[in-house]
Amino acid sequence: MNHPTLLYYNMHDEVAAFSTTRKGGVSIGNYASFNINRFCGDADAAISENRRLLCLLLQIDSKHLIMPHQVHLTKTACIDEAFFACSEKEKEELLEGVDAVVTNIPGVCIGVSTADCIPVLVYDSRLKVTAAIHAGWRGTAKHIVQQTIADMKAIYGSTPKDMKAQIGPGISLDSFEVGDEVYEAFANEGFDMQMISQKFLSTIHTTPLTYKWHINLTECNRLQLIEAGIPSESISVADICTMKQSDTFFSARRLGTPSGRIFTGIMIKPKQK
């Protein structure tokens, strides 16, 4: 059996936290070989089999593997018992346009999909609450991490000092070349541009040679976690550039948009009977 290979994170003994790699599974081409995202053009049969393999590895039912349809905004979905009482169509509607997911139900794996964007996991170890956040450049500029932590406070009464965070694989500063409009979007939102950006000689060979802005999305989100109140020592960073390691992790910039997605998930482990 072709088991998926996961990158595990040591966030807390009470949770399973991970990012999928391209290894294992049955997808082919630019989706090879492990992709569970149904919004990027992969074959339905391959997605279903890959989901089955991941659920088998996590020892959960497929209905407990939760992945939203992301749109690069800041909406959070709360997965509670009422969610599981909904029809499949209602569940899809609740997960539409969602870029962050939170839950406190053991045995439910929530996660987000990325292929250069930044995945962020958060765990409140006091109140036993998990969060999975998709932070592309648009969501990062709109402070999605801080918004999600605010939602955890509002829904569950969580306190940031009780949280641990893990930033997963994403595009690095030197790989993330952007246009002036992206730089300006961050500057207009009040980011300290000296801390998060640099100019490098453009990878696009033009005459004359030009310099382009690069944004450090990982650092942007790490700083947001700290600003939200999570202690810096409670934040871990995978330090993996998806574009540079596209043989192991999906990269839309390297492979093209019609390609697979990394799934970064977190699950409170059910208590052993």
Side-chain angles (χ1 to χ4, degrees):
M1 187 176 292
N2 202 4
H3 292 293
T5 299
L6 308 183
L7 170 65
Y8 287 101
Y9 305 116
N10 186 25
M11 290 183 70
H12 197 285
D13 290 343
E14 297 168 344
V15 298
F18 63 90
S19 292
T20 61
T21 71
R22 297 186 64 183
K23 312 301 181 183
V26 299
S27 294
I28 61 174
N30 279 356
Y31 304 96
S33 56
F34 189 83
N35 168 66
I36 64 168
N37 186 294
R38 62 188 179 88
F39 305 109
C40 59
D42 196 4
D44 289 342
I47 294 165
S48 295
E49 176 61 8
N50 289 338
R51 282 180 61 93
R52 187 189 72 81
L53 291 171
L54 180 58
C55 289
L56 188 65
L57 190 61
L58 297 174
Q59 298 183 318
I60 61 172
D61 188 276
S62 62
K63 68 181 180 181
H64 290 154
L65 180 61
I66 308 297
M67 178 174 55
H69 184 204
Q70 302 156 190
V71 293
H72 296 272
L73 294 177
T74 60
K75 182 180 176 182
T76 300
C78 175
I79 306 302
D80 53 16
E81 295 295 350
F83 175 86
F84 291 104
C86 294
S87 67
E88 290 306 309
K89 182 179 179 181
E90 289 170 330
K91 289 177 183 176
E92 284 189 14
E93 290 172 352
L94 289 170
L95 292 172
E96 177 62 37
V98 166
D99 284 83
V101 188
V102 297
T103 193
N104 64 350
I105 305 176
V108 172
C109 181
I110 57 174
V112 290
S113 300
T114 59
D116 291 330
C117 294
I118 309 299
V120 182
L121 301 177
V122 179
Y123 181 53
D124 172 354
S125 59
R126 181 174 65 90
L127 296 180
K128 321 301 183 192
V129 179
T130 56
I133 307 164
H134 163 244
W137 77 258
R138 291 177 179 83
T140 300
K142 293 179 181 296
H143 305 274
I144 186 172
V145 160
Q146 288 165 298
Q147 179 59 55
T148 306
I149 291 171
D151 292 336
M152 293 173 74
K153 291 179 183 177
I155 298 168
Y156 302 104
S158 293
T159 303
K161 68 178 179 63
D162 298 318
M163 299 178 185
K164 291 193 173 183
Q166 175 69 54
I167 298 175
I171 197 165
S172 62
L173 167 71
D174 48 344
S175 294
F176 191 43
E177 180 179 304
V178 301
D180 290 346
E181 73 283 0
V182 176
Y183 177 92
E184 289 165 6
F186 281 88
N188 291 339
E189 287 290 337
F191 285 87
D192 185 338
M193 301 311 293
Q194 288 188 333
M195 294 187 68
I196 67 165
S197 64
Q198 285 182 246
K199 266 193 171 179
F200 294 98
L201 189 63
S202 177
T203 56
I204 301 172
H205 300 295
T206 58
T207 304
L209 296 175
T210 59
Y211 284 80
K212 301 283 285 185
W213 284 111
H214 287 234
I215 302 289
N216 190 336
L217 288 181
T218 293
E219 182 65 5
C220 287
N221 286 288
R222 192 186 73 85
L223 292 172
Q224 284 192 48
L225 291 165
I226 294 170
E227 289 171 12
I230 299 180
S232 59
E233 62 270 19
S234 297
I235 302 168
S236 297
V237 178
D239 196 24
I240 294 170
C241 176
T242 45
M243 191 170 174
K244 292 177 181 177
Q245 298 187 39
S246 59
D247 57 334
T248 303
F249 297 95
F250 290 110
S251 167
R253 283 209 170 193
R254 182 71 72 190
L255 300 168
T257 301
S259 59
R261 300 292 185 268
I262 303 159
F263 180 76
T264 297
I266 185 168
M267 178 182 73
I268 303 167
K269 297 175 183 176
K271 291 183 178 179
Q272 298 294 324
K273 295 180 180 180

